[in-house]
Structures are given as C-alpha cells and as structure tokens.
C-alpha cells in the first residue's frame, strides 16, 4: 500500500491576504486600537505597559543576518486638555483620522473610561462605519508616498 493513500488529500488552498488598500488600512487601525486599549488599561490601573516585542532581522558581529527580538514603541494617542478632560485620537497613515467633518478627537472624560471608548471605536471599524474616512486617509497616504518616490526636477 502506498504511503500517500494513508493521507486524506484535498484541493484546498490558503486564503489570500487582503490586497485591498482599505482592508489593509482597516487591519492596521484595528491593531493600533488594540495596542492603545492595552496601553490605556495598564495606565488606568497604575501599571507599567510593556508592548509585545517584534521579531526583526539584524546583522550580527560576523555580518550575518539573524532574527532577533526588538522593542516596540507605542505612542500615547490620548491627551488631557486644560480642564483635565481626556481626548483620544485614532491615527491612520500617521495622521489623525477625521471621525466627522472637522472633528478628529473623541472626548472621553476620564482615563478610566478610555478602554471602553476604544472598544466602541473597534466595533465601529469592524462594522464598516469608518470605511469612508479610512479610505480617504489611506488614499492620502498613498499619494503622499507617491510624491516622495518621484524624482526631483533639477
């Protein structure tokens, strides 16, 4: 009996990753919001937040490429105004996402309410409520990157 006949064979193929710019931007925003939620939860509890490490390629002393862990830097995306009210900003492409016409920040109130506000934003992104704003921001980021790649006229 053949060894292959002992296996259950199928014609399944792996699911393709999202090549859609909107889907990529949405996924990056969801990851960023999850990081901010973990960060805000730790700060509200009075704990020190250490984000998970990335695995990156670096050259060692011998000049060989090796995989090593590197620290991730997470920037705080909330701030307090002069009255002490906490506000939160969601970023796409390095710029604050405009949630409504002319409005980029979400007024949270106090720091202990921030994780639930971020959960609400995550639900809105998953439901597709911010797709138009995310697409606009991703397109603007793409145009900005295209401008950088153009050769400069002499």
């Amino acid at each position: 009996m053949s060894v292959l006949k002992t296996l259950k064979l199928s014609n399944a193929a792996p699911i393709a990753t999202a090549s859609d710019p909107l889907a990529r931007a949405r996924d990056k925003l969801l990851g960023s919001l999850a990081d901010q939620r973990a960060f805000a939860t730790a700060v509200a509890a009075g704990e020190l937040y250490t984000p998970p490490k990335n695995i990156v390629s670096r050259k060692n002393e011998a000049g060989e490429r090796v995989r090593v862990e590197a620290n991730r830097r997470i920037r705080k995306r909330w701030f307090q105004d002069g009255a002490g009210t906490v506000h939160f900003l969601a970023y796409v492409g390095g710029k604050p996402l405009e949630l409504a016409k002319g409005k980029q920040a979400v007024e949270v109130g106090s720091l202990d309410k921030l994780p639930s506000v971020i959960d609400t934003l995550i639900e809105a992104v998953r439901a597709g409520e911010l797709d138009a704003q995310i697409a606009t921001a991703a397109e603007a980021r793409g145009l900005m990157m295209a401008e950088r790649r153009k050769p400069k006229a002499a």
Side-chain angles (χ1 to χ4, degrees):
M1 180 177 214
S2 171
V3 175
L4 280 179
K5 290 189 180 201
T6 63
L7 301 175
K8 183 178 180 180
L9 302 177
S10 72
N11 63 349
I15 297 172
T17 58
S19 61
D20 176 29
L22 174 62
R24 278 196 313 271
R26 188 184 310 119
D27 289 344
K28 284 184 82 168
L29 178 58
L30 286 170
S32 172
L33 288 172
D35 286 341
Q36 289 296 316
R37 186 188 187 296
F39 190 8
T41 302
V43 169
E47 300 170 358
L48 180 65
Y49 178 67
T50 53
K53 296 182 183 280
N54 282 340
I55 305 292
V56 297
S57 293
R58 299 270 163 85
K59 287 188 178 181
N60 63 9
E61 299 80 27
E64 301 167 331
R65 284 212 166 273
V66 293
R67 307 278 291 166
V68 296
E69 286 187 343
N71 291 328
R72 283 180 54 209
R73 180 176 167 192
I74 304 237
R75 293 182 179 177
K76 183 172 74 167
R77 300 297 189 191
W78 64 89
F79 64 94
Q80 286 185 331
D81 62 8
T85 305
V86 174
H87 300 269
F88 180 76
L89 296 165
Y91 281 74
V92 172
K95 294 186 178 183
L97 183 65
E98 190 171 297
L99 300 169
K101 185 74 175 168
K103 298 186 180 186
Q104 301 170 337
V106 177
E107 185 176 322
V108 177
S110 61
L111 188 60
D112 59 329
K113 296 178 185 173
L114 184 56
S116 64
V117 169
I118 294 173
D119 283 339
T120 304
L121 283 172
I122 289 172
E123 288 175 28
V125 170
R126 285 188 178 142
E129 294 177 27
L130 298 174
D131 280 356
Q133 294 93 323
I134 294 170
T136 302
E139 181 180 320
R141 171 75 174 168
L143 292 175
M144 182 181 75
M145 295 306 288
E147 286 294 321
R148 281 185 167 174
R149 285 187 287 253
K150 284 185 183 176
K152 295 188 180 188

